[in-house]
Amino acid sequence: MKLFDLHCDTITGLETVGLHLGNDAAAISISKLENSGISAYAQCFAIFLDDKYRGKAAIEKWDRIYQWFLKQLELYPNKIEQVLTGADLEKITKKGKIAAILTTESGAAFAGQLERIQELREKGCLLTSLTWNGDTEIGGGVYTPKIGLTPFGKEAVAEMERVGMIIDVSHLCDKAVDDFLKIRQKPFLASHSNCRAICNAARNLTDEYIQEIVHCKGLIGINYLIYFLREGDPENAGISDVIRHVEHLLNLGAVNTIALGSDFDGAKVPAAFDSIDKMNTLYTACQKALGTEITEKLFYQNALKFFQKNF
Ligand SMILES: [Zn+2]
């Protein structure tokens, strides 16, 4: 099994408690990976900024987690390597290492300064969500639904596209997504969001947004958070719900858009697939329900092609 995961909060979580990837406390760890049956593995590691971080505090927090990310590369040079270009992906996975993609969750990391965008891109941050749940200098998140993109937000979108940083619309409110769709030029993605038609949560995507992402040849990463998988009785969320969301996406023509965005170490996820060493359970069930070709696209191929093409 090959795996490409568009979102986890593992590095941020490890930094907070002072632990490293060698420790099994997190859903993703070196030893869990060794027992996972995964033969090629690309993982987006988000530097996550909670809404309490703004301005100088956001810059300092970003830098602290970035140093922790670099520390993991230094501690485990035979196990993990950073992806800086699309060509790096298979070079790294063929060596049996984790192909680690640095990402940022919340444009608060820019602290309202356009020059920060290029700086983060030069450090290898390949994709960034414009907000977390609250509003940032860029625009409104799902908790601030009346706020669209700000004038700075519109400049930031253009600058991100100019420097080649992919825009992630997960966490944006609909008003801000609508503003973004009017000005975007490049392909974009939703790293960890599901279908609102299947589970009515503001963090999930409307059919219209799904179609926009399909149209621009972007990606949608299925989020395992129980509240985004299943409405009514989220405690019973499981593999069948992942399949329901994927099937809905397929009905909207998203066969080359589907991907995974686990949200590991940042969300309450079903016990059946709550860590990297249990992904084979999810894979086998998807293979049975969706067939091998679609499961391969979902787990690896679509995201691989997107990153190879865009970086
Ligand atoms: Zn998130």
Side-chain angles (χ1 to χ4, degrees):
M1 171 190 34
K2 293 179 176 182
L3 178 68
F4 200 129
D5 180 357
L6 297 178
H7 186 83
C8 77
D9 292 309
T10 307
I11 296 288
T12 304
L14 289 173
E15 191 274 340
T16 309
V17 292
L19 293 173
H20 301 290
L21 276 176
N23 189 287
D24 274 341
I28 296 170
S29 76
I30 303 282
S31 67
K32 282 180 182 169
L33 183 61
E34 277 160 9
N35 298 314
S36 67
I38 294 171
S39 59
Y41 178 34
Q43 177 68 54
C44 293
F45 288 101
I47 295 180
F48 162 56
L49 300 177
D50 190 289
D51 283 322
K52 67 185 180 211
Y53 297 101
R54 290 293 180 266
K56 193 163 166 265
I59 292 175
E60 283 169 5
K61 174 82 173 170
W62 193 95
D63 287 345
R64 215 161 50 237
I65 304 167
Y66 174 62
Q67 291 306 323
W68 207 256
F69 174 75
L70 294 182
K71 182 91 188 157
Q72 306 313 305
L73 306 179
E74 191 190 307
L75 283 171
Y76 310 103
N78 301 319
K79 305 286 184 191
I80 182 168
E81 194 174 329
Q82 187 178 5
V83 173
L84 297 170
T85 70
D88 289 345
L89 275 160
E90 290 201 301
K91 252 189 256 167
I92 297 170
T93 58
K94 278 185 182 137
K95 287 186 268 187
K97 297 192 205 181
I98 304 170
I101 297 163
L102 184 66
T103 71
T104 299
E105 183 167 30
S106 181
F110 305 150
Q113 302 168 21
L114 276 187
E115 56 276 19
R116 281 278 292 167
I117 296 172
Q118 182 150 10
E119 193 187 324
L120 266 54
R121 180 63 184 82
E122 281 166 6
K123 287 176 171 157
C125 172
L126 301 189
L127 67 101
T128 298
S129 72
L130 301 182
T131 65
W132 191 51
N133 290 330
D135 63 312
T136 63
E137 295 85 350
I138 295 173
V142 287
Y143 290 173
T144 56
K146 292 193 177 121
I147 302 176
L149 284 190
T150 63
F152 171 77
K154 289 176 186 170
E155 283 183 84
V157 164
E159 177 66 2
M160 289 167 81
E161 290 189 333
R162 188 188 73 80
V163 304
M165 184 188 280
I166 296 289
I167 292 159
D168 182 357
V169 297
S170 285
H171 285 282
L172 269 190
C173 71
D174 290 355
K175 189 169 163 56
V177 176
D178 290 339
D179 287 349
F180 167 71
L181 290 174
K182 281 180 209 143
I183 59 167
R184 67 131 201 116
Q185 306 274 339
K186 301 267 178 76
F188 66 101
L189 51 73
S191 66
H192 59 306
S193 296
N194 300 337
C195 309
R196 210 177 290 176
I198 300 294
C199 176
N200 188 14
R203 276 278 289 101
N204 286 341
L205 302 162
T206 64
D207 286 358
E208 182 202 336
Y209 298 157
I210 291 166
Q211 280 158 337
E212 290 281 352
I213 297 175
V214 169
H215 175 72
C216 81
K217 299 188 164 42
L219 292 173
I220 297 169
I222 296 285
N223 189 325
Y224 308 165
L225 174 65
I226 58 171
Y227 306 103
F228 301 162
L229 280 177
R230 189 178 181 111
E231 218 179 305
D233 57 343
E235 298 297 331
N236 289 319
I239 292 174
S240 63
D241 297 294
V242 171
I243 292 166
R244 281 195 308 138
H245 284 276
V246 173
E247 283 174 338
H248 184 74
L249 291 169
L250 292 173
N251 287 337
L252 293 171
V255 66
N256 297 317
T257 309
I258 49 172
L260 298 174
S262 69
D263 218 350
F264 276 152
D265 297 311
K268 190 173 181 204
V269 304
F273 52 105
D274 63 0
S275 60
I276 203 76
D277 50 336
K278 296 184 186 171
M279 291 307 291
N280 51 357
T281 310
L282 183 63
Y283 184 91
T284 307
C286 287
Q287 199 180 24
K288 205 172 154 207
L290 304 163
T292 301
E293 196 187 334
I294 287 174
T295 303
E296 288 285 317
K297 282 175 182 268
L298 173 70
F299 269 68
Y300 191 72
Q301 296 298 341
N302 285 346
L304 177 73
K305 281 188 189 141
F306 178 90
F307 279 81
Q308 285 176 333
K309 190 173 143 204
N310 290 292
F311 297 103

